[in-house]
Amino acid sequence: MSAQATCRDTAFAGLPACELALPQGDHLRVALHGAHVLSWVSGGQERLYLSPKSTMDGQAAIRGGVPVCFPQFNQRGPMADRLPKHGFARNVAWLADAPELGAEHARLTLRLNDNAQTRAWWPQAFALALHIDLSPGAVQLTLDVHNTDTQALAFSGALHTYLAVPDVTQATLQGLGGQPEWDSLTDTHAQAADMIRFAAEFDRVYEAGPQPLTLNDTLHISQSPSWANSVVWNPAQDLCKRLADMPDEGWRHMLCIEAAQVYTPINLPAGGRWAGWQRLQVRNP
């Protein structure tokens, strides 16, 4: 019988976590706090950036990895004055289902339902699931939103992925060429360049394109059409120094490439469902 994937309960910086591992060596760690993917190692290499100065108190959002932003992106939303930045899903504890384990695939699903804590921010009934699918050389994260309320549900959000790079000033991103681009730093609109480089602070929202993005010719990043936008962000040196949960040079080793819903909220009728995914796949040389 061939070896099977494993899933074990563990802890990271004192936070309850789960670790998925495949027989060929790829492994992934996710904290129950925020359903927050902390690490993805593929081909013996860490593919995500996690800040060594991140707050790990089980209350604040974790800096790095893959935060789940829900039910708003940044502070764009009708309840921005009541909701934490990027919503509350990344600030609260989720529950893990029993894993599904095979020889070349592992799936772990984490769930969050409305409760007294979430209703203090947002008077809405809902059920979230984050499905984590790990296979050799790839990981796919799928956010599933179910409106369990008798009223309509409107939300925005993102899978706010921090990817590890050796040096962002040498990084290249391809695949967005020609897509509508909004530069939030200058509030200007343009079309994306065929090859994007990062010489300064970068914070841009794109209309999601039909093809996968390629980072440094080593990683493909794709997303479901249900996410309308792709967001690319790097704080650069000056902003990074003002972020208490980032080391001064942390900006150099990360690039956020996010599957997101920024401008227009997704509306679900009572009982309605929506799902959106992002897939990271190591590119074969």
Side-chain angles (χ1 to χ4, degrees), residues 26 112 133 148 189 193 230 255-256 269 285:
D26 284 11
L112 175 67
D133 288 284
T148 58
H189 294 266
S230 298
L255 181 67
C256 283

Side-chain angles (χ1 to χ4, degrees), residues 72-74 76 155-161 173 176 179-183 189 203-211 213 221-233 256-266 274 276-279:
Q72 71 175 2
F73 181 85
N74 203 319
R76 303 172 70 100
F155 70 95
S156 59
L159 296 170
H160 196 309
T161 305
L173 181 65
L176 284 166
Q179 291 301 110
E181 169 192 88
W182 173 56
D183 185 334
H189 294 266
D203 193 353
R204 300 183 188 180
V205 179
Y206 299 89
E207 184 177 308
Q211 61 183 329
L213 311 185
I221 304 108
S222 53
Q223 65 187 66
S224 61
S226 48
W227 294 110
N229 304 113
S230 298
V231 177
V232 182
W233 177 68
C256 283
I257 301 177
E258 311 165 36
Q261 191 75 22
V262 178
Y263 304 126
T264 307
I266 294 162
W274 173 94
W277 51 261
Q278 183 186 56
R279 181 175 176 83

Side-chain angles (χ1 to χ4, degrees), residues 5 26 33 35 68 71 101 112 125 134 149 191 218 221 253 259 261 265:
D26 284 11
H33 177 66
V68 176
L101 304 172
L112 175 67
L134 181 66
D149 212 323
Q191 286 190 326
T218 60
I221 304 108
H253 304 296
Q261 191 75 22

Side-chain angles (χ1 to χ4, degrees), residues 20 28-38 66-70 89-90 94-97 107-113 127-133 139-146 158-161 227 274-278:
L20 292 177
L28 176 147
R29 184 183 293 119
V30 57
L32 298 187
H33 177 66
H36 198 119
V37 177
L38 304 165
V66 188
V68 176
C69 302
F70 176 91
R90 63 183 188 154
W94 295 47
L95 297 173
D97 285 358
R107 167 175 271 209
L108 182 65
T109 296
L110 294 96
R111 298 186 186 276
L112 175 67
N113 292 349
L128 296 186
L130 183 72
H131 305 292
I132 302 169
D133 288 284
V139 63
Q140 181 168 308
L141 305 180
T142 305
L143 182 64
D144 188 294
V145 183
H146 182 198
L159 296 170
H160 196 309
T161 305
W227 294 110
W274 173 94
W277 51 261
Q278 183 186 56

Side-chain angles (χ1 to χ4, degrees), residues 6-92:
T6 61
C7 180
R8 68 183 185 96
D9 294 335
T10 182
F12 184 84
L15 294 177
C18 301
E19 185 171 86
L20 292 177
L22 299 179
Q24 51 79 249
D26 284 11
H27 53 96
L28 176 147
R29 184 183 293 119
V30 57
L32 298 187
H33 177 66
H36 198 119
V37 177
L38 304 165
S39 169
W40 170 46
V41 174
S42 182
Q45 182 178 334
E46 177 59 68
R47 306 289 173 167
L48 301 179
Y49 174 83
L50 183 68
S51 171
K53 294 184 68 176
S54 185
T55 303
M56 297 285 185
D57 62 359
Q59 304 293 325
I62 297 168
R63 171 76 68 182
V66 188
V68 176
C69 302
F70 176 91
Q72 71 175 2
F73 181 85
N74 203 319
Q75 290 172 299
R76 303 172 70 100
M79 300 190 69
D81 56 331
R82 291 185 56 185
L83 288 170
K85 183 179 179 181
H86 286 315
F88 53 74
R90 63 183 188 154
N91 298 72
V92 299

